[in-house]
Amino acid sequence: MILRTDHVAGGAAVAVGVIVFAISGDLPFGALAFPGAGMLPKLLCGLLIVVGLALLIRGHRSEPASTTRWGDLRHAIPVFAIATTVVAVYTTLGFILSMALMLFALALLERRPPVHAALFSISVSIGTYALFAYGLKSPLEHGLFGF
């Protein structure tokens, strides 16, 4: 049997789904009338596992994994590094600052002028914060600086 790209993607999706499901085991599931903190992660993990299994089953139609082109890896690694860094500092810096820094770094990665990147990142971060904090009344992390 030839290993195909969809087999690799499906296997990775199933593995991530199982790992996150195991990690979220301490969170209460709740009920449909009153969902707990673990309901959404567990439902998403279940969906991820189902989609991964579908990829594994239908994977024989995709290209062989040996023909995979890795040209986008130069772009994917910095995006992954920026995202994981923001996840690590989110509770310390807060929503607005961490999102603004992430969007600024991603815009610079796309070779946008620094002034445009700064205006974009600040406006989107503040706008998103206003929507979630005031419009949807959703609590967001404030961080060390209070915003």
Side-chain angles (χ1 to χ4, degrees):
M1 181 175 142
I2 298 173
L3 185 65
R4 305 221 175 241
T5 54
D6 283 353
H7 292 143
V8 174
V14 170
V16 168
V18 168
I19 290 169
V20 174
F21 192 87
I23 291 171
S24 66
D26 291 343
L27 298 173
F29 190 78
L32 287 177
F34 192 70
M39 181 177 278
L40 186 61
K42 290 175 184 169
L43 289 176
L44 289 176
C45 288
L47 181 63
L48 187 61
I49 292 168
V50 168
V51 171
L53 289 173
L55 276 173
L56 282 170
I57 292 168
R58 307 274 303 182
H60 63 279
R61 295 183 178 181
S62 65
E63 297 178 3
S66 61
T67 64
T68 301
R69 293 171 296 283
W70 295 97
D72 286 338
L73 202 57
R74 288 186 183 156
H75 184 72
I77 290 174
V79 169
F80 181 77
I82 290 167
T84 54
T85 302
V86 167
V87 168
V89 300
Y90 175 74
T91 56
T92 305
L93 296 181
F95 179 84
I96 293 176
L97 193 54
S98 60
M99 291 302 118
L101 289 173
M102 178 181 71
L103 291 173
F104 182 71
L106 291 173
L108 288 180
L109 185 65
E110 293 296 323
R111 296 184 181 92
R112 303 289 184 238
V115 172
H116 295 163
L119 290 173
F120 166 74
S121 62
I122 292 169
S123 61
V124 169
S125 298
I126 291 174
T128 305
Y129 181 83
L131 172 68
F132 279 91
Y134 302 116
L136 300 174
K137 307 278 190 241
S138 178
L140 296 174
E141 193 68 43
H142 291 289
L144 289 176
F145 303 110
F147 58 88

